[in-house]
């Protein structure tokens, strides 16, 4: 049996989602209904059924990988594609608690 979760601020596909240390779900990027990459993030609280805006990424991206860092709960976002279909070699570190974003190291893509 499944039940609906919180409604997100916009429809999105090709996004990434990670479980935060406090058991909320952090949704990163993706594409909207116009097939445009998104820089928006959202925090879904499954217990209360609410959705909150998260920190805005510096780069719109879809199909990126995201992981919650074990030492402090920040989220590392890696790669993905931009609006023009370019494969991204950039990373971003998103601090959900502080509502901030910073660029991380570039990855080597041959």
């Amino acid at each position: 049996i499944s039940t609906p979760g919180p409604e997100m601020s916009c429809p999105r596909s090709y996004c990434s989602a990670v479980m935060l240390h406090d058991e909320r779900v952090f949704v990163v990027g993706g594409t909207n209904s116009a097939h445009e990459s998104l820089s928006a993030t959202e925090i879904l609280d499954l217990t209360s059924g609410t959705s909150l805006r998260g920190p805005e990424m510096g780069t719109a991206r879809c199909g990126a990988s995201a992981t919650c860092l074990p030492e402090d709960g920040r989220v590392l976002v890696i790669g993905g594609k931009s609006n023009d279909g370019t494969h991204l070699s950039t990373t971003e570190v998103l601090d959900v608690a502080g509502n901030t974003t910073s660029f991380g190291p570039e990855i080597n893509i041959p």
Side-chain angles (χ1 to χ4, degrees), residues 26-82:
F26 188 60
V27 181
V28 177
T31 59
N32 61 18
S33 56
H35 306 289
E36 299 166 324
S37 294
L38 301 170
S39 59
T41 68
E42 295 187 60
I43 304 160
L44 306 177
D45 187 328
L46 303 179
T47 303
S48 68
T50 59
S51 171
L52 302 169
R53 290 193 71 102
E56 192 83 12
M57 291 189 293
T59 302
R61 57 182 80 221
C62 68
S65 178
T67 190
C68 187
L69 300 174
E71 64 271 1
D72 59 12
R74 293 178 302 159
V75 175
L76 175 64
V77 180
I78 302 169
K81 285 186 179 180
S82 65

Side-chain angles (χ1 to χ4, degrees), residues 12 15-16 27-28 36 41 54 56 59 62 64 69 71 73 85 89-90 93 95-96 101 108:
R12 59 177 79 210
C15 58
S16 294
V27 181
V28 177
E36 299 166 324
T41 68
E56 192 83 12
T59 302
C62 68
L69 300 174
E71 64 271 1
S89 61
T90 56
V93 180
D95 182 347
V96 178
T101 305
N108 294 322

